[in-house]
């Protein structure tokens, strides 16, 4: 399910967030800066944090 949308406002998918982590993102702010996810309404911030926790464990 890597193509599932995480941020609907900015149309950012799971795979885009995963790629940002592979490129060095470690925080939600890093993800915001690198992908623009969660810079609209911010409703996906918790899900982004969960993805970070999963990928960085």
């Amino acid at each position: 399910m890597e193509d599932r949308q995480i941020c609907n406002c900015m149309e950012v998918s799971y795979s885009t967030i995963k790629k940002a982590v592979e490129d060095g993102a470690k925080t939600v702010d890093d993800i915001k800066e690198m992908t623009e996810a969660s810079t609209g309404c911010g409703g996906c911030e918790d899900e982004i944090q969960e993805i970070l926790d999963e990928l960085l464990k």
Side-chain angles (χ1 to χ4, degrees), residues 17-33:
I17 292 171
K18 183 177 177 184
K19 174 82 168 90
V21 171
E22 291 168 355
D23 289 343
K26 297 196 182 319
T27 66
V28 173
D29 284 339
D30 291 343
I31 296 294
K32 287 180 179 182
E33 184 176 317

Side-chain angles (χ1 to χ4, degrees), residues 16-57:
T16 301
I17 292 171
K18 183 177 177 184
K19 174 82 168 90
V21 171
E22 291 168 355
D23 289 343
K26 297 196 182 319
T27 66
V28 173
D29 284 339
D30 291 343
I31 296 294
K32 287 180 179 182
E33 184 176 317
M34 294 170 80
T35 69
E36 294 188 1
S38 196
T39 60
C41 77
C44 59
E45 192 166 318
D46 289 342
E47 188 170 5
I48 292 170
Q49 184 61 60
E50 289 174 14
I51 293 168
L52 284 167
D53 293 345
E54 171 191 321
L55 294 174
L56 296 173
K57 65 180 173 183

